[in-house]
Amino acid sequence: MSLPLVAILRGVTPAEIIDIAEAIIAAGITRIEIPLNSPEPLASVEKLARHCADHHNGRILVGAGTVLTPAQVREVHASGGRLIVSPNCNVEVIRESRRLDMVSMPGIVTPTEAFAALEAGASGLKLFPATQVGIANMKAMQTVLPAGTELYAVGGIGTDNFAEWRAAGIHGAGLGTSLYSPGLDADQVGERARALVAAWQAAD
């Protein structure tokens, strides 16, 4: 079963994307997001999507983050990406993602944003920034969300607080600087990925 963890590789370059991604995949993380404010992000998406199609039999979900417009959704789709993650709730971005049969994870903070995103067809919701929203507010929101809604905590989530967020009922998490920051090599990222996966599983 795929772990509900998304690797957020902000700042990764096309030259290193394969080695970094393989280290993450080896640790058990199968969803990889390349934010569009990274260097040559669409080149990285295309390179990784092609690599994963050739070597991982379609089990790796590759896409982009910080996607703000429907035009960017189409660019990611044309590059082979199938995952669209945004920091905000833009219903046009969500609808375009779903029209193209892509996984859509918009950022939300309030119940109003959450319901607007779900009505537009969001696949799951990204609670961002999670630690600023807080567990108490997250739990209050969960009481009104439809059963089965996938809510991912993103922003400040890692090995030191997985347990409390999982105990509170969060479905999954996005891993940013706790997993990757520019300058880390594949071995370092792999070590972080293994520690994060172990901590997530231990918190179950």
Side-chain angles (χ1 to χ4, degrees), residues 114-115 118 125 141-150:
F115 280 102
L118 292 171
L125 303 177
M141 193 183 312
Q142 280 194 319
T143 64
V144 298
L145 291 177
T149 299
E150 293 191 0

Side-chain angles (χ1 to χ4, degrees):
M1 179 179 170
S2 174
L3 292 171
L5 300 173
V6 180
I8 303 168
L9 305 183
R10 191 177 310 278
V12 74
T13 66
E16 63 186 343
I17 184 60
I18 301 302
D19 288 344
I20 296 289
E22 280 294 345
I24 291 166
I25 293 166
I29 297 172
T30 59
R31 306 176 193 192
I32 300 175
E33 165 197 337
I34 300 163
L36 290 184
N37 53 2
S38 303
E40 300 181 79
L42 295 175
S44 289
V45 170
E46 184 172 9
K47 188 174 181 179
L48 182 58
R50 187 183 305 118
H51 172 83
C52 290
D54 290 343
H55 297 279
H56 293 286
N57 198 28
R59 69 180 187 90
I60 310 300
L61 183 61
V62 176
T66 318
V67 180
L68 304 177
T69 68
Q72 289 177 331
V73 173
R74 292 188 290 272
E75 290 173 344
V76 174
H77 184 269
S79 300
R82 294 297 176 263
L83 169 67
I84 295 293
V85 184
S86 300
N88 61 332
C89 175
N90 181 324
V91 295
E92 296 306 320
V93 168
I94 299 166
R95 288 173 180 151
E96 187 66 358
S97 303
R98 300 305 290 148
R99 184 184 74 81
L100 294 170
D101 199 28
M102 303 170 82
V103 174
S104 169
M105 293 185 62
I108 61 97
V109 168
T110 66
T112 298
E113 292 173 335
F115 280 102
L118 292 171
E119 185 177 353
S123 311
L125 303 177
K126 167 185 168 181
L127 185 67
F128 175 79
T131 51
Q132 280 73 20
V133 173
I135 286 176
N137 291 328
M138 183 275 289
K139 290 177 73 174
M141 193 183 312
Q142 280 194 319
T143 64
V144 298
L145 291 177
T149 299
E150 293 191 0
L151 188 62
Y152 282 64
V154 182
I157 305 299
T159 55
D160 58 340
N161 57 9
F162 274 156
E164 57 185 316
W165 280 90
R166 290 204 71 178
I170 203 75
H171 177 81
L175 308 173
T177 54
S178 64
L179 174 64
Y180 174 82
S181 57
L184 295 179
D185 63 26
D187 289 341
Q188 293 169 311
V189 175
E191 184 177 348
R192 289 187 175 197
R194 289 188 295 273
L196 286 160
V197 167
W200 178 265
Q201 292 172 329
D204 190 5

